[in-house]
Amino acid sequence: MDHLDAARIMAADCLCYRARRAARAITRAYDTALRPIGLQATQVTLLNAIALGPESTRSMGQLAEIMALEISTLTRNLRPLERAGVIAISRSATDRRVRLVRLTETGKTRLAAALPHWRRAHAEITATLGDEPARDLRIALDHATQTMKAAERSPCSGT
Amino acid sequence: MDHLDAARIMAADCLCYRARRAARAITRAYDTALRPIGLQATQVTLLNAIALGPESTRSMGQLAEIMALEISTLTRNLRPLERAGVIAISRSATDRRVRLVRLTETGKTRLAAALPHWRRAHAEITATLGDEPARDLRIALDHATQTMKAAERSPCSGT
DNA sequence: AGAAATAACTTGCATATACAAGTTAATCCG
DNA sequence: CGGATTAACTTGTATATGCAAGTTATTTCT
């Protein structure tokens, strides 16, 4: 079993390769469409998750959980959004360890303004993929995220 | 249509959100399994693509095309691999603009050594997802990458 | 109440990713 | 042949991502 066999086997089956490659291609398409409003796809996604919280507010822990994102990554991803004034971060009054991320009025406006651009990207991509494959992809991705998250939490499968 | 409606719509359907979230979860699992050999999943993926070229060599342009990756990203992703001595970069003799990326002997050894760890990750993940959903995901991701790449190249759908 | 453990983050460090602008080499064309 | 164009990268700048280690606040336990 030399390196060529190994490479053949891994390249033929690797889900990480495929998931990342597809994510790159899809992200580029959304980013292009969102360019006019000056927000990246990942940023709009974060704003969505914040907006859907009570009072358009989420704790960092909740956000990390929702996004399946390391909290340390979240800390930094929020920085440009805070600088842009679309979110504000404060400490919880009831538990001062907790940081609450809130959508500002500016943020609400920007998010509402993002929708038509997002729609355009979404329409373009589903047209490119085809309706059926797009739905299949969506379902497969959701299933993967859910089961992987569950597995991370379970003690026995870790490493 | 306020920001809340917008957030609901986008969160409910966004493929970018889902693709990136799933890619993160999957990547974490592969990275964990590959830890012992000191290579990340993305790096092993790159090495695979190089290994499968003639003489275990690829030009940067070929690599970027295969990986659906910006060539500027590729330049930097190759850096740590070069530093680690698993690849070597040289100029093509026939076209001195072209950079040829070659797997070194060390690289071949490391890649072969990665296989069992990769297998472990792959087995764990397919077990977590289930065989059928894992295959569906793989097919959906490949289809997405292929069609998106084709669309990027076609002149009319761009932006 | 006070020490120990835990929870929720932040920071340090390293890699991953992309667009725009710059560089070098090949090709095209008058 | 020589200027203009194109091709293949690299660099500058900024965001995205994760692990390990550090910080601050709460909880637990004696």
Side-chain angles (χ1 to χ4, degrees):
Chain A
M1 182 74 76
D2 64 0
H3 71 280
L4 230 170
D5 295 322
R8 280 201 197 98
I9 292 168
M10 293 191 270
D13 286 339
C14 191
L15 280 176
C16 184
Y17 167 38
R18 288 172 165 74
R20 294 186 69 89
R21 195 179 45 167
R24 283 193 294 268
I26 292 172
T27 301
R28 268 196 296 267
Y30 278 93
D31 276 348
T32 300
L34 290 172
R35 192 88 63 91
I37 59 152
L39 288 172
Q40 301 200 353
T42 50
Q43 299 178 325
V44 171
T45 296
L46 253 179
L47 296 183
N48 282 335
I50 298 165
L52 294 178
E55 319 269 329
S56 294
T57 301
R58 296 269 198 205
S59 74
M60 298 202 47
Q62 288 171 339
L63 274 179
E65 166 70 16
I66 293 168
M67 306 283 298
L69 198 63
E70 277 294 306
I71 198 166
S72 66
T73 300
L74 188 59
T75 297
R76 296 175 226 244
N77 287 5
L78 292 178
R79 219 93 82 173
L81 295 174
E82 195 178 14
R83 218 169 27 225
V86 292
I87 60 165
I89 301 176
S90 59
R91 280 173 177 248
S92 163
T94 56
D95 183 342
R96 297 195 50 77
R97 291 172 303 183
V98 172
R99 251 80 167 184
L100 295 177
V101 185
R102 185 177 48 80
L103 213 57
T104 62
E105 288 308 309
T106 306
K108 291 177 185 176
T109 307
R110 293 282 289 282
L111 192 52
L115 181 60
H117 299 278
W118 178 88
R119 269 198 215 275
R120 190 155 44 85
H122 188 71
E124 212 170 80
I125 289 170
T126 48
T128 300
L129 299 183
D131 280 338
E132 180 92 11
R135 198 173 56 243
D136 291 348
L137 178 60
R138 200 200 113 122
I139 291 168
L141 290 171
D142 279 342
H143 176 259
T145 304
Q146 291 315 313
T147 54
M148 298 291 296
K149 268 166 76 167
E152 270 178 21
R153 269 190 293 273
S154 90
C156 25
S157 67
T159 311
Chain B
M1 183 75 78
D2 66 359
H3 71 281
L4 231 171
D5 295 323
R8 280 201 197 98
I9 292 168
M10 293 192 269
D13 285 339
C14 190
L15 280 174
C16 184
Y17 167 38
R18 289 173 165 75
R20 294 186 69 89
R21 193 178 48 167
R24 283 194 294 267
I26 292 171
T27 301
R28 268 198 295 267
Y30 278 93
D31 275 348
T32 300
L34 290 172
R35 192 89 61 93
I37 59 153
L39 288 171
Q40 301 200 351
T42 50
Q43 298 178 325
V44 170
T45 296
L46 253 179
L47 296 182
N48 283 335
I50 298 164
L52 294 178
E55 319 268 330
S56 295
T57 299
R58 296 268 198 206
S59 73
M60 298 202 49
Q62 288 171 340
L63 275 179
E65 166 71 16
I66 293 168
M67 305 282 299
L69 198 63
E70 277 295 307
I71 199 167
S72 67
T73 301
L74 188 59
T75 297
R76 298 177 224 243
N77 288 4
L78 291 177
R79 220 92 83 173
L81 295 173
E82 194 177 16
R83 221 175 18 232
V86 292
I87 61 167
I89 301 176
S90 60
R91 278 172 177 250
S92 163
T94 55
D95 184 342
R96 298 194 51 76
R97 291 171 302 181
V98 172
R99 252 79 167 186
L100 295 176
V101 185
R102 185 178 48 79
L103 213 58
T104 63
E105 288 308 310
T106 306
K108 292 177 184 175
T109 308
R110 292 281 287 284
L111 192 52
L115 181 58
H117 299 278
W118 177 88
R119 269 199 215 277
R120 190 155 44 84
H122 188 72
E124 212 170 80
I125 289 168
T126 48
T128 299
L129 299 184
D131 281 338
E132 181 91 13
R135 199 175 54 245
D136 291 348
L137 177 60
R138 200 201 113 121
I139 291 168
L141 290 171
D142 278 343
H143 176 260
T145 304
Q146 290 316 311
T147 54
M148 298 291 296
K149 269 165 75 167
E152 270 177 23
R153 268 189 294 273
S154 91
C156 27
S157 67
T159 308

